[in-house]
Amino acid sequence: MEALLMSTGVVALAEIGDKTQLLAFVLAARFKRPVPIILGILAATIVNHGAAGALGAWITSVLSPELLRWVVGLSFLGMAAWTLIPDKIDDEDTRVSGHLGVFGTTLVTFFLAEMGDKTQIATIAMAAHYPQPLLVVAGTTLGMLIADVPAVFVGDRFAKKIPMKLVHGVAAAMFAVMGLATLLRVDRWL
């Protein structure tokens, strides 16, 4: 259950102000059809984070436990630093193709925007850290929806009221604690 809860919380916080959340705002403003947008976000996230979770689980099978501990711990610390850097959305991310429909456009743009994004990298690291990659993927997907569904419904008005620096600071602190706990083998002390 820890894998589900931690991955949900970390990704929900990390996603606030992230480029994919900004993309959700743009898609909602353009199409004004929340249900296919939300379903597109869900499908894109399941596919993207499913692949990331599988990669994280595979990494645990090819690296020694000691090397894996360092890779995962340093990845979490890197994620902490990356989370403090605010995202911006490019024109390329907002270009959408009308022939795919609202769902298809959301699916494709969200999937591509999430490639190499901090929440995808976090999913890989958490799937390598926790022995239940399916719970990690379920948690990171839920975290994406927690952050992005409100963006679809309330748009920019909601985003302007969120203290982004505080949210990013809390998410960075969570990544840092996970990184330090992994590197210091805190689980051995418990």
Side-chain angles (χ1 to χ4, degrees):
M1 201 60 168
E2 180 184 350
L4 177 73
L5 296 175
M6 283 300 291
S7 57
T8 300
V10 165
V11 168
L13 286 171
E15 180 65 9
I16 295 176
D18 189 73
K19 72 178 175 183
T20 45
Q21 187 186 49
L22 299 174
L23 180 59
F25 288 133
V26 169
L27 292 169
R30 174 154 189 218
F31 292 115
K32 295 172 183 55
R33 295 196 43 220
V35 173
I37 293 170
I38 292 167
L39 292 175
I41 291 169
L42 174 63
T45 303
I46 288 171
V47 172
N48 194 292
H49 288 204
L55 178 59
W58 175 77
I59 289 170
T60 63
S61 70
V62 296
L63 296 180
S64 70
E66 187 63 20
L67 181 57
L68 179 65
R69 180 174 67 86
W70 281 97
V71 168
V72 170
L74 293 173
S75 294
F76 283 139
L77 291 175
M79 291 303 303
W82 191 4
T83 300
L84 294 173
I85 301 168
D87 272 340
K88 293 183 176 100
I89 192 163
D90 321 11
D91 287 337
E92 193 173 305
D93 292 330
T94 61
R95 239 183 280 140
V96 288
S97 176
H99 69 281
L100 294 176
V102 177
F103 172 81
T105 298
T106 303
L107 175 72
V108 170
T109 57
F110 234 81
F111 180 82
L112 293 175
E114 190 64 13
M115 294 299 291
D117 194 55
K118 64 184 157 225
T119 50
Q120 184 191 41
I121 305 300
T123 302
I124 294 169
M126 285 188 279
H129 180 73
Y130 291 108
Q132 306 96 353
L134 291 178
L135 287 178
V136 168
V137 171
T140 59
T141 301
L142 182 58
M144 290 285 286
L145 293 175
I146 288 169
D148 292 336
V149 168
V152 171
F153 283 110
V154 291
D156 284 330
R157 290 172 289 157
F158 183 66
K160 292 176 184 170
K161 296 180 188 211
I162 297 172
M164 294 295 190
K165 285 187 179 189
L166 174 64
V167 171
H168 287 198
V170 170
M174 289 177 72
F175 279 124
V177 166
M178 290 173 66
L180 291 173
T182 301
L183 291 173
L184 298 174
R185 296 182 178 172
V186 171
D187 60 326
R188 286 187 166 188
W189 302 348
L190 303 174

